[in-house]
Amino acid sequence: MRDAHVRAILLSDLKSQLNKSFQSLFEQLETLNHSYIKRKEHLMLNEQKEFLSFKEIWINNDTIESYFKLEKPDPLKIPEIFAMSYLKSFNAFNISIHSFDPDLLHEWRKRLKDVQSQFELLYDHISSDLYEHYQKIQDLCNVLGELNDLEMINRWIANIKPELSDEDHFSYMLSEEIVKQHEARLSVAKSNGFELYTFTPEQFKDQLF
């Protein structure tokens, strides 16, 4: 469902960037996407099993339950856990840059989002020396999110090509445009990643508080 709503936004953005010869293609893509959203919403709102399944997962998950039963957490562990999250993002970056596989890039984004979320939670308590570092992380998370969304919509267009009427030429050109935008953001992500991680996990831990 989330992907479908993101696709609607991306299709609108791409539509405004390309000339009117793509109009028919975009109308078809938007119609197909809207139809999927409506079907999914109807299913979710009318099939109780969707919610019952979630309830069962929640009730029977000891890990989720344990979050609400943790007594007197050790505050001294906070810098250690925060630094560990940064280290995981550092390792995910070093793995992803050797192939730039979409799944590896997505993993890097998830690990970096963990760091971003912890920054936001502890922002008023961390060293002011790290504020600029937080902005770099926030910007990089945005670029990695855009990469993931572009990969998703290009994969979707390839999968639904049989449903499009005589639009092979334009769908190919649209895919080429998406790939071009993807490569541009990939270059930015790589450059910003190298810049970010000149600040090593050890330095990050030392300057936390």
Side-chain angles (χ1 to χ4, degrees):
M1 178 64 80
R2 178 264 179 198
D3 284 355
H5 285 291
V6 170
R7 280 197 298 267
I9 297 170
L10 287 174
L11 287 171
S12 178
D13 289 344
L14 289 166
K15 188 177 180 179
S16 67
Q17 296 170 27
L18 299 173
N19 62 53
K20 291 185 178 180
S21 58
F22 287 86
Q23 186 72 26
S24 175
L25 173 61
F26 277 114
E27 287 177 357
Q28 289 187 69
L29 293 173
E30 288 172 333
T31 298
L32 286 167
N33 193 54
H34 181 71
S35 176
Y36 172 84
I37 291 173
K38 287 300 179 184
R39 289 197 308 271
K40 192 67 176 176
E41 286 177 345
H42 178 78
L43 178 66
M44 292 180 69
L45 294 174
N46 291 278
E47 291 285 345
Q48 288 294 318
K49 61 183 180 181
E50 291 276 346
F51 296 97
L52 291 174
S53 174
F54 177 75
K55 180 181 177 183
E56 286 299 315
I57 293 171
W58 180 272
I59 290 174
N60 297 313
N61 192 313
D62 293 335
T63 302
I64 293 175
E65 185 180 0
S66 68
Y67 290 144
F68 299 96
K69 293 185 176 180
L70 187 63
E71 296 181 4
K72 297 181 179 179
D74 184 357
L76 297 178
K77 289 287 184 181
I78 293 175
E80 181 181 333
I81 294 170
F82 200 175
M84 187 183 300
S85 295
Y86 185 82
L87 175 61
K88 287 180 179 179
S89 76
F90 174 80
N91 291 336
F93 167 69
N94 283 324
I95 293 171
S96 70
I97 59 170
H98 295 297
S99 70
F100 290 117
D101 177 271
D103 291 335
L104 294 177
L105 284 169
H106 187 50
E107 180 64 21
W108 175 27
R109 177 179 178 246
K110 289 192 294 184
R111 299 289 71 83
L112 196 59
K113 285 288 287 185
D114 288 344
V115 180
Q116 181 185 9
S117 297
Q118 290 167 14
F119 251 117
E120 290 165 356
L121 182 64
L122 301 169
Y123 193 82
D124 293 336
H125 305 285
I126 61 175
S127 168
S128 58
D129 294 337
L130 291 176
Y131 288 169
E132 182 179 348
H133 205 62
Y134 165 70
Q135 187 60 54
K136 291 179 181 179
I137 290 172
Q138 189 177 43
D139 292 343
L140 188 48
C141 280
N142 290 338
V143 174
L144 290 171
E146 290 170 358
L147 275 171
N148 185 62
D149 292 341
L150 288 167
E151 175 68 27
M152 175 271 295
I153 196 170
N154 213 21
R155 201 164 51 237
W156 176 72
I157 291 172
N159 289 337
I160 64 166
K161 268 187 180 180
E163 301 180 53
L164 302 175
S165 60
D166 301 324
E167 298 288 353
D168 285 348
H169 176 64
F170 289 115
S171 61
Y172 173 79
M173 291 177 64
L174 177 58
S175 292
E176 287 289 295
E177 175 62 26
I178 293 171
V179 168
K180 185 167 68 173
Q181 293 193 19
H182 187 279
E183 289 177 348
R185 286 167 174 80
L186 189 58
S187 177
V188 171
K190 181 178 179 180
S191 175
N192 289 2
F194 278 117
E195 181 183 351
L196 174 67
Y197 294 113
T198 55
F199 197 65
T200 66
E202 292 77 15
Q203 291 172 310
F204 181 81
K205 185 176 181 179
D206 290 341
Q207 292 194 30
L208 268 177
F209 298 100

